[in-house]
Amino acid sequence: MPKIICKAYGKINLTLDVLGKRPDGYHDLLTLFQGISLYDEITLTKGDSEAEEIVLTCDLAGLSTGPDNLAYQAAYLLKEKFPQIVGLRIDIRKRIPLAAGLAGGSADAAAVLLGLNRLYNLDLSLEELGKLGARLGSDVPFCLHPLTAIGEGRGELLSEVSSPSPELWLVLCKPPFGVSTKEVYQHLSQVQVTKRPDLAGALAGLQSRNRKLFYASLGNILENSTFDLYPQLQTWAQEIEALGAEKVMMAGSGPTLMAFVENKKEAEKLKSSFKKPNWSLEVVRTTTCEDLKGRLIADE
Ligand code: C5P
């Protein structure tokens, strides 16, 4: 049966500022999104034309394979619009930690949209896929093209940064629990925000390759909320900083802590010296245009 394999890259936010609460319950953001090299692998297989349903499997126990899975919902959304999509099988090889602030679910949904677009020759543009994707989750539009982009609105209004980030290396350190994004946003109004990120400074730092300016400009407002809910995170962030990281901050709504270091060797070193059983520790780099070119592989 014809199939396609798609890499579903995760994301981080180099800056994340929350500008206010919206009437629809979401929050208006100003964020600098960045794709990372850690990905889930999504295999989409055209099924038996007699069978109507979507079948989803995942190699990780504990992740729902039913209609509440965002990858399932992405397929359902396209199936409703394009009746030629019948009897689809989706297999997920999960590598992005769950409930970690790395947009694992949104990445899978975006990969399903991209993959089905190719597998069934639907000829939808990235913009059209983005509009559909925004109905599934605020990060799905960015995950369709995860390089470096400014996100506004709920995060779905994107302007790509003309020169993407240079290769940055980091260690993703995720403690053995997840957090609810909704809870983190809700709790934000109850904490005092002291320092806001500086998007303009981060962009200037990227462009001029000024690491000092770049790191000084990064920041994530949601840290205030998640650290207040899980105070131990603050201590762990300090521990990671003491191991030689150039900058430590939280990914998305957390609880993953990101340790930025100078190169891959330093990343491996930090990873092996941070001795925490049951944590998920991943050395990753920022995504490149080359990564995105090779993300869809047809297997007819
Ligand atoms: O869009 P997504 O489903 O990923 O968002 C998960 C939850 O995070 C939302 O239900 C909402 O509570 C919160 N959120 C928000 N403002 C955003 C993005 C997410 O309040 N811009």
Side-chain angles (χ1 to χ4, degrees), residues 15 19 158 244 256:
T15 65
L19 307 181
L158 299 168
T256 302

Side-chain angles (χ1 to χ4, degrees), residues 131-148:
K131 283 205 178 109
L132 287 171
R135 286 159 58 181
L136 302 167
S138 310
D139 294 331
V140 177
F142 174 74
C143 290
L144 288 165
H145 192 67
L147 277 179
T148 311

Side-chain angles (χ1 to χ4, degrees), residues 25-27 29 136-138 153-155 181-182 185:
Y26 281 83
H27 291 77
L29 306 183
L136 302 167
S138 310
R154 283 161 51 209
T181 304
K182 192 173 179 166
Y185 274 101

Side-chain angles (χ1 to χ4, degrees), residues 179-256:
V179 302
S180 149
T181 304
K182 192 173 179 166
E183 189 189 1
V184 169
Y185 274 101
Q186 276 172 351
H187 188 64
L188 187 61
S189 60
Q190 289 167 50
V191 295
Q192 200 162 9
V193 171
T194 44
K195 192 171 169 271
R196 310 199 88 96
D198 174 7
L199 174 63
L203 291 171
L206 275 183
Q207 211 149 37
S208 60
R209 302 286 194 264
N210 179 338
R211 289 177 91 87
K212 208 169 159 207
L213 170 63
F214 175 66
Y215 287 130
S217 307
L218 304 190
N220 180 355
I221 283 290
L222 295 180
E223 236 177 55
N224 297 278
S225 176
T226 316
F227 282 14
D228 195 61
L229 289 165
Y230 305 92
Q232 186 79 53
L233 281 171
Q234 179 102 53
T235 317
W236 288 326
Q238 285 159 358
E239 272 179 48
I240 296 169
E241 200 144 11
L243 293 175
E246 294 186 325
K247 170 87 187 176
V248 179
M249 62 187 274
M250 195 181 75
S253 52
T256 302

